[in-house]
Amino acid sequence: MRYLPVELNGKPIGYVYVSTRTRRASFVRILSSQDNTAGFEAAMEWSKRLERARRKPYLDKAVEEWIGAPQDEKAGRIPEGARFTTAESVEALTRLANPGYSKPPLPSASGYLPDGAPVDRPATAAPLDTWRTDDPDTYRMATDKPVLYLPVRAADGTLLGHLWASQADEDNAAGFARDTRADAAASRAAGVWLDRLNAYRRQGLAPREALQRVRAYPADPVAGAVPQDARAKEAGSSKELRLLGRR
């Protein structure tokens, strides 16, 4: 695979890579360079750009067109004179962008993490799976088109967040929007729900079908549950839904 640097106001914020074997391309964030909101917005912009680039005959040539282009206020820019550099794998590029970082373990249904720590341990600083914008084994993490969503509540009724899925199958997007008022509990629940959603992605299910499947999961001490009487509502985009969780 080959990659190019991305910067915002002269500061590196990530890398855009293109596979040399498939038509796969994505954006890898430098997690330490931005807060989560700005980083998510940058990743979303690159996701949309790369989606358009895949429609062109030569993906690497389409990406090269952004070298030296004017800066976008969210996505940044690929600096003038940048050239493709080779990396062995996405994992190698991820290590370059985020030295020493490893994904937090998913909590088990028993209420304990794999290292034996209770799930009420403070949430990890780095969010789950935030460095990638596109992966064949996962749904896209954002869409600017309408989504359907369902609430997820803990046993005591606390709103943990919302499960969502793109209404248009071709958007291929689904995820879990945390409610920030639930703090660490929402972060732990997010890991479980994303794992469940992407298991259906690997089975080839469309996002809306996956949303209907995951709502059937029984109540879990970590993940919570979708209330039985909950009805799916509509939001204008995944970003709109995330903003709802910050009120």
Side-chain angles (χ1 to χ4, degrees), residues 105-114 119 128 187-189 191-192 222:
L106 293 175
S108 67
S110 66
Y112 291 88
L113 294 166
V119 294
L128 290 168
S187 297
R188 291 191 290 268
V192 178
V222 175

Side-chain angles (χ1 to χ4, degrees), residues 74-215:
K74 295 178 180 178
R77 67 191 293 266
I78 298 174
E80 184 76 40
R83 295 185 178 182
F84 274 113
T85 303
T86 301
E88 180 180 339
S89 63
V90 176
E91 289 69 28
L93 183 58
T94 298
R95 290 193 297 270
L96 174 66
N98 304 285
Y101 180 77
S102 60
K103 290 194 294 184
L106 293 175
S108 67
S110 66
Y112 291 88
L113 294 166
D115 62 4
V119 294
D120 59 0
R121 184 174 69 180
T124 8
L128 290 168
D129 289 334
T130 51
W131 60 59
R132 306 263 291 271
T133 60
D134 188 49
D135 188 302
D137 291 331
T138 65
Y139 294 110
R140 292 179 60 204
M141 69 179 191
T143 177
D144 57 0
K145 296 181 176 63
V147 299
L148 295 172
Y149 67 93
L150 291 164
V152 174
R153 295 188 179 276
D156 62 0
T158 299
L159 181 64
L160 297 173
H162 295 91
L163 286 163
W164 63 268
S166 55
Q167 290 205 49
D169 291 346
E170 58 268 23
D171 283 349
N172 196 38
F176 182 85
R178 295 173 291 176
D179 191 295
T180 56
R181 292 166 295 188
D183 198 21
S187 297
R188 291 191 290 268
V192 178
W193 287 109
L194 289 172
D195 199 40
R196 290 171 174 176
L197 279 171
N198 288 320
Y200 289 124
R201 165 60 180 152
R202 290 189 289 273
Q203 293 177 28
L205 269 64
R208 287 182 300 171
E209 187 176 355
L211 184 66
Q212 290 305 311
R213 294 280 187 96
V214 293
R215 71 175 298 163

